[in-house]
Amino acid sequence: MNSRERFIAALNCQPLDRPPIWVMRQAGRYLPEYRALKEKFSFLELAQTPELALEVTMQPLRRFPLDAAILFSDILVIPEAMGQGYHFREQGGIGMDYTLENRDQIEKLTSSSIEEKLSYVADALKLISAELDGSKMLLGFGGSPWTLATYMLEGGSSKDFAKVKALFYQDRPTFELLMEKISDALIAYFRMQKAAGADAIQIFDSWGGIISGEDYEAASLKWIRKIVDAVRDEVPMIIYAKGTTPQLARQAACDPKAISVDWTIPIEEAAARIPSHIAIQGNLDPVLLDTKPEIVRANATRILQAMKDRPGHIFNLGHGIHPTARIENMETLVDTVTSWNQ
Ligand code: CP3
């Protein structure tokens, strides 16, 4: 069984000797070969040049026997294609080129011609898919509408999310207009990714946890459901949720193929709240990769043990890998999972 077959079996909740493993932001700053490319090219050049996006996507796979590749790109390509560009702030974090401040600006955003504007993503996926040739799972992704709206309304990375919440609570029709537009853009984008070779798509609801639990449905989950309903029959969907464990049963009711959980819940408790036909991905705290190999091995083994009788587990971090992660810890993690049960 190759990596791709293993991943698909896990998504279908079939029993396996060991779970497949991949990590998020695996192409990030912890790899010296990535930092070397960043000396020569900006993030946007890397993401927008299909040959370079292929190279960055493949870098971690050359080092570690991971079971999946994740497209090198960013969730913010969608606001950009809708008419609101982004950049990296000098002091770190993301800045949008302007902030959405009124209904007029939201009306001007467009959900059309996404495939044309993001054709470089399709071109990158085609190159990656050809290179992998069915040996590894190829994951595409996008942000949840709510998570994207936080960047678009706050003007970039935010500390208190006051503006996105203000719109949600004070002008629901305008909030919904924005969410409809983002959702439509994402549906077109995910179909394009599938056609270009993505085997599954992960929706990052990274900021789902900042809204009141009472309002999670109206602010975020409703729009995720709309997207999952639209594309479920075309491509397997994984919902990544951060800080939203109280919402697990509601997320499961959207019937995605898998739910990816952060580290705030023991994984077996998450498993108990998710129906057995939905796979679970997670949930090692990424900070552990800054520590020592023996700590990584002990914590990864605990997760493997906890999930050994629950078919449908994909080993993953609870969030993206940190730039400070140590390579030897990543090696230990991948070795712990790939040698499990052998
Ligand atoms: O996992 C992968 O390598 C796939 C590519 C990927 C990136 N971003 C590349 C990236 C994925 C899946 C993302 C998702 C993403 N981007 C999310 C959702 C996941 C999450 O982290 O919650 C969000 C919120 C973003 C927006 C974004 N992009 C942020 C907040 C940052 C960090 C900015 C900073 O200065 O800390 C980025 C930058 C980014 N996206 C990097 C990478 C590899 C680091 C870029 C660099 O410094 O070289």
Side-chain angles (χ1 to χ4, degrees):
M1 167 178 280
N2 73 18
S3 286
R4 183 169 177 275
E5 291 158 352
R6 177 179 297 280
F7 205 111
I8 291 169
L11 276 181
N12 289 327
C13 294
Q14 288 159 8
L16 286 168
D17 52 347
R18 65 138 178 116
I21 176 171
W22 69 283
V23 303
M24 304 183 287
R25 297 263 177 98
Q26 56 193 24
R29 290 161 278 191
Y30 78 109
L31 288 178
E33 55 271 36
Y34 173 77
R35 291 197 298 266
L37 268 182
K38 278 290 294 285
E39 298 277 309
K40 288 199 256 168
F41 305 101
S42 68
F43 182 90
L44 292 182
E45 284 169 329
L46 291 178
Q48 291 173 1
T49 312
E51 292 74 17
L52 292 173
L54 164 69
E55 171 58 22
V56 181
T57 300
M58 297 307 293
Q59 280 178 341
L61 299 172
R62 296 198 192 105
R63 259 185 200 268
F64 315 108
L66 296 155
D67 294 303
I70 179 160
L71 163 74
F72 180 76
S73 184
D74 201 85
I75 62 169
L76 297 167
V77 300
I78 281 291
E80 178 174 55
M82 294 175 73
Q84 193 186 8
Y86 68 104
H87 55 271
F88 290 85
R89 291 175 179 153
E90 287 289 336
Q91 68 277 23
I94 296 279
M96 303 308 290
D97 292 349
Y98 66 95
T99 305
L100 291 182
E101 279 166 342
N102 54 53
R103 190 174 169 105
D104 266 8
Q105 286 174 315
I106 292 172
E107 278 171 359
K108 287 204 181 83
L109 295 172
T110 166
S111 320
S112 61
S113 322
I114 292 295
E115 299 88 337
E116 221 171 286
K117 291 176 194 147
L118 297 180
S119 61
Y120 63 87
V121 175
D123 291 342
L125 279 167
K126 286 178 200 158
L127 291 180
I128 302 162
S129 176
E131 176 106 4
L132 295 174
D133 197 21
S135 62
K136 309 258 180 196
M137 192 77 172
L138 175 50
L139 299 169
F141 70 91
S144 73
W146 168 255
T147 291
L148 289 174
T150 67
Y151 289 94
M152 297 168 83
L153 290 161
E154 299 288 332
S157 306
S158 172
K159 286 200 171 69
D160 56 12
F161 300 94
K163 294 179 185 157
V164 64
K165 290 187 189 183
L167 187 70
F168 174 78
Y169 287 116
Q170 295 182 43
D171 184 356
R172 194 62 64 88
T174 300
F175 173 80
E176 298 203 333
L177 173 68
L178 176 60
M179 299 302 268
E180 292 283 357
K181 286 191 169 197
I182 301 174
S183 304
D184 289 346
L186 284 166
I187 290 168
Y189 186 47
F190 292 160
R191 290 199 167 120
M192 181 195 84
Q193 291 189 33
K194 165 67 186 167
D199 293 314
I201 304 265
Q202 180 155 311
I203 299 188
F204 284 94
D205 195 19
S206 304
W207 297 119
I210 58 131
I211 191 77
S212 157
E214 184 66 27
D215 294 314
Y216 179 68
E217 165 67 26
S220 186
L221 195 59
K222 171 177 169 182
W223 313 97
I224 293 176
R225 184 183 305 106
K226 177 179 160 138
I227 296 167
V228 172
D229 283 348
V231 299
R232 171 190 294 107
D233 293 341
E234 299 162 51
V235 59
M237 298 298 294
I238 305 171
I239 299 178
Y240 167 76
K242 180 158 168 278
T244 57
T245 41
Q247 307 291 343
L248 270 176
R250 291 186 187 89
Q251 288 158 341
C254 290
D255 206 24
K257 206 71 187 152
I259 296 182
S260 189
V261 287
D262 68 15
W263 58 88
T264 57
I265 186 169
I267 194 157
E268 62 275 23
E269 279 180 36
R273 289 201 223 158
I274 297 176
S276 58
H277 70 281
I278 298 178
I280 299 174
Q281 184 179 275
N283 73 337
L284 193 81
D285 187 341
V287 84
L288 290 167
L289 294 177
D290 296 359
T291 64
K292 292 184 185 147
E294 56 271 27
I295 299 178
V296 171
R297 193 175 291 278
N299 281 278
T301 303
R302 200 207 77 78
I303 292 173
L304 290 164
Q305 279 286 0
M307 293 297 284
K308 71 178 183 338
D309 298 322
R310 205 297 190 176
H313 175 214
I314 298 160
F315 202 104
N316 202 241
L317 304 179
H319 195 209
I321 192 165
H322 296 169
T324 44
R326 292 169 59 197
I327 304 240
E328 59 175 327
N329 288 331
M330 185 63 184
E331 282 165 358
T332 301
L333 174 65
V334 179
D335 179 65
T336 306
V337 178
T338 56
S339 62
W340 173 248
N341 242 346
Q342 276 165 14

